[in-house]
Amino acid sequence: MTARQWSATLAALLVLVLASGCGVGRGSAVELGPGAQIKVGVIPVADFAPIYIAAEEGYFADEGLNVKTQVMQNAAAIAPSVINGQLQFGTAAVPPFLGAVQKGLPLKAVANGTSIAADPAKDPSALVAGPGNGITRPKDLEGRTVAVNALSSIVHVTAAAAVKADGGDPAKVTFVAMPFPDMLPALARGAVDAASLVEPFHARSVAEGARVIAHPYSKVLQPNGTFTVVFTAQPFIETNPGIVEKFARAVDRASVEAARNPQKVGAVLAKYGKLPPEVFARIRVPMYSDKLDTSALASTGELMRGLGFLPGSVDVESAVWK
Amino acid sequence: MEMTTQIRQLPAQAREGTGRRTAPRRSFAAGRTGRMALGAGTVVAVMAVWEVLARSGAFPPGSIPPASAVLAEFIGQLGTLGFWEALWNTVSVALLGLLLIVVVASPLALLIGLVRPVQESVWFVLEFLKPIPPVALIPLGLLLWGPSPGMKLFLIVMGAIWPLLTQLIYGIREINGVGAEMARSYRLGRWLTVSRLVVPSVLPFALTGLRISASIAVIVAVVTEMIGGAAGLGQNIVVAQSAGALAEMYALILAAGLLGLAINAGFRGLAKPLLFWHPSIRQEGTL
Amino acid sequence: MSTFPSTRSRGGIRLILLRAWLPAGLVAAWWLASASSTSLYFPPLQTILETLGADWAGPSFAGHLLPSIGKFLAGFLIAAVAGIFLGLVIGMYPALRAAVEPIVQFLRSLPPPVLLPVGLLVFGIGASMNIAIIAFGAVWPTLLNTIDGVRSLDPQLTEMTRSYRLTRAQKIRWVILPNASPQIFAGLRTTLQMAIILIVVSEMVASTNGIGYYVLNSQQTFAVPQTWAGTLVLGALGYLANLVFIRIEGYVLRWQAGLLAITGSGA
């Protein structure tokens, strides 16, 4: 072959790769046979313990489902895989889920993960101020730096909402993203002025004498409303309605069990989440519930829109299965 | 030597980290045992400093656990099945990725090294792709393959192909010159040309490139697992992190570093018997 | 891949065509293949380019690109200077080399994101943390290549410097550096490439601006055209940085070659 032919072959190959890349996106419409493996992308936090309980206690097996859990870091990583059928179900807190739906991703919530406890004493979230910087309430955070686990996450949205609810301007707060374990050292060092934490870091910060200035979740979100969801892709629902039905039923059953038996939550968190039992004994367990609450999704959506996290409104009804 | 990507004025040998020793020295540092003792001494010293800093409270509470705690956790990890599974997930895909890199890079390097128009044509595209971090390609990989070994493979190839490709091109360019003329004028057959000329000239470059690509492949694999959610050491690091299990997190990071070290040493060991005739190996030396 | 043949005989136009057809063809293929795309993750190239124009010719240029270029340059320069200096010292003393080898090899093998917590702890929040992560992650190729360049100095040269009774500084300036420079530059080029990649890694945590921040944030909020646009900007930045580097390298190496010819130490 001459150089020209070689180059032409190479170019043709590249174009082929590019073109095949553009054809993806319909993978979730594939119909799964009975016994086919169903993969769930799970974020390793306490909120999704029911998925593990359903697997451990055989609830999925009772429904005739062969489910495999897959640890993933966040909704941004899970959503594309669900859309393309690499995962059949995913987990997310409400804000990133609504963000994805608002951008036009064909996702639907099929089951409730956790809900918001109305009682601040049961709220696993906390805005914690650093030592000796005089911050006593969320409004004081104007002009300060606050650590959140990821930008536009539930932690970020609720912290900003808490500032606003206290009469402050969230736009004047500098939010920076860092993993939860890095927040307490950053606070101690004065690198950030406050941090928005969840369990198990909330319990640890309290044990170390940190000043909690607010519990953002219970302060700004609709009480008893949906907080995290289990979702799938619209094409998957169309081709596999039976699987969705069974899966949602098993997860709901596990949510009820989790609310009734916290020690089962502790057991799966120790096994899958590397959370030591003695730490679990000290943390505030999220409120597990099987009630997928559309009005709470709508209210969180409005909250996000008001704070500038969503450029437009979300059709919540179309984002929920059934 | 390491990461050598541009070799112009040096004579024809892979700039492997095994250059000539300047003069036979009878110092402590020159002996094999001496070198190892010095290296081990530094490791112990660093560990000791880390331990003292952590115990004295120089680090904020809950930031970095003492070296002894991390080491104990590391040894504890070695006894768990989950650790070895994760390690296998990381290593197997990294090596598979490396194989894929060889399959892709070899013909590409031949084309680029031997056919000038191809080199001119692809240069811009390759130089444009090189600085794109695998991290930025994770959504694309997830979309195409999900949190699977396939995604890891894609990102490993995209991130780690460059050292091998560049080294191979250099190796091929070297035979392209004088040697090829000689082979032609001596009318060496195809087999003789390949075995006496092509392989000996390219092999040192190939092995250097392969070793560097291997180290990068392991790093990309771990990072992909951390962010993209495929099973492996990186994913265990993230799970430990989200549970606040700091000793375990640092023990796994230690394991990731040691893995890279071992892969590097493994490929160095591989080079020795293959290149026994080469000046860089004949003159004993490491780093 | 950078050493272009000189354009002497063939004429520039043919060469330009040769170099441009593939990139142009790929862009055209991408444009056509994606023109009617409804896939969220593969928006039409037109949308991506419009986003690119709107964002990067506008607010993001000063808000994200300039800060990142600043961090990148500072990180690269620190890595380059530290790598060459430490490489010289370690390369000249075998005992030191033996002592630091395991630590250097270990640190080099660490995946860069795991450095972030430590960087945060030591440098806090701000550009200094990003610069430190870039410098620390990218220093290794230069360091190791410099060590090797110094080590593989011709024994005859070492003899010669002894007989000329050069001082240590003179020896470094006139013998070691010129002879090791091709290898040092080979390392520097890899350091450059890694520094670009590390911009993104360093901005994963605790950043409020920068191109890596832009890419990662748009990725997390499902702003796909922005993610693509940011990735294209990264590629362009890497390409341009490499181009500038090759110019400087060519200049310095030519000058060094001249120097070697004068002093005769290259013989």
Side-chain angles (χ1 to χ4, degrees), chain A residues 197-225:
Chain A
L197 294 165
V198 297
E199 297 290 10
F201 303 97
H202 167 231
R204 180 180 299 165
S205 70
V206 170
E208 285 171 10
R211 272 177 305 126
V212 175
I213 57 171
H215 290 288
Y217 291 178
S218 54
K219 189 177 172 111
V220 301
L221 295 174
Q222 186 171 314
N224 302 315

Side-chain angles (χ1 to χ4, degrees), chain C residues 66-82 127-136 138 191-192 195 199:
Chain C
L66 292 183
S68 276
I69 291 179
K71 293 173 201 170
F72 155 69
L73 284 179
F76 172 70
L77 287 177
I78 293 171
V81 171
S128 58
M129 189 271 275
N130 303 81
I131 293 168
I133 295 287
I134 294 172
F136 190 86
T191 291
L192 184 83
I199 294 176

Side-chain angles (χ1 to χ4, degrees), chain C residues 203-249:
Chain C
E203 287 171 358
M204 278 166 75
V205 162
S207 283
T208 50
N209 61 18
I211 179 165
Y213 168 88
Y214 173 94
V215 169
L216 295 166
N217 198 29
S218 61
Q219 190 178 313
Q220 297 223 324
T221 52
F222 306 93
V224 177
Q226 279 80 352
T227 313
W228 281 100
T231 308
L232 289 181
V233 172
L234 267 177
L237 184 63
Y239 177 81
L240 289 176
N242 196 32
L243 219 57
V244 172
F245 180 82
I246 289 166
R247 283 286 152 83
I248 297 173
E249 180 190 29

Side-chain angles (χ1 to χ4, degrees), chain B residues 54-67:
Chain B
R55 297 251 177 235
S56 69
F59 305 138
S63 59
I64 299 178

Side-chain angles (χ1 to χ4, degrees), chain B residues 87-109:
Chain B
L87 190 71
W88 169 246
N89 278 327
T90 303
V91 174
S92 61
V93 181
L95 291 181
L96 198 62
L98 202 60
L99 191 70
L100 205 60
I101 285 173
V102 172
V103 170
V104 174
S106 307
L108 206 57

Side-chain angles (χ1 to χ4, degrees), chain A residues 175-247:
Chain A
F175 289 99
V176 294
M178 66 177 71
F180 286 122
D182 300 337
M183 289 182 187
L184 293 179
L187 267 182
R189 208 183 157 280
V192 293
D193 301 303
S196 197
L197 294 165
V198 297
E199 297 290 10
F201 303 97
H202 167 231
R204 180 180 299 165
S205 70
V206 170
E208 285 171 10
R211 272 177 305 126
V212 175
I213 57 171
H215 290 288
Y217 291 178
S218 54
K219 189 177 172 111
V220 301
L221 295 174
Q222 186 171 314
N224 302 315
T226 294
F227 171 66
T228 57
V229 293
V230 179
F231 64 87
T232 188
Q234 171 64 25
F236 184 77
I237 296 179
E238 283 159 16
T239 43
N240 301 280
I243 291 178
V244 174
E245 184 99 45
K246 289 173 185 168
F247 186 85

Side-chain angles (χ1 to χ4, degrees), chain A residues 232-320:
Chain A
T232 188
Q234 171 64 25
F236 184 77
I237 296 179
E238 283 159 16
T239 43
N240 301 280
I243 291 178
V244 174
E245 184 99 45
K246 289 173 185 168
F247 186 85
R249 197 156 54 217
V251 172
D252 285 347
R253 193 176 155 200
S255 291
V256 173
E257 185 64 21
R260 201 184 300 143
N261 274 322
Q263 69 273 22
K264 283 190 179 163
V265 176
V268 293
L269 289 183
K271 181 169 174 187
Y272 294 96
K274 309 203 174 189
L275 191 72
E278 66 275 14
V279 176
F280 177 75
R282 281 188 281 121
I283 67 171
R284 294 174 174 186
V285 181
M287 178 176 146
Y288 298 103
S289 155
D290 61 348
K291 184 167 165 277
L292 186 56
D293 181 0
T294 316
S295 73
L297 290 186
S299 99
T300 306
E302 281 311 304
L303 187 73
M304 289 172 70
R305 226 184 116 188
L307 292 164
F309 286 102
L310 282 181
S313 60
V314 189
D315 180 8
V316 173
E317 290 299 329
S318 76
V320 176

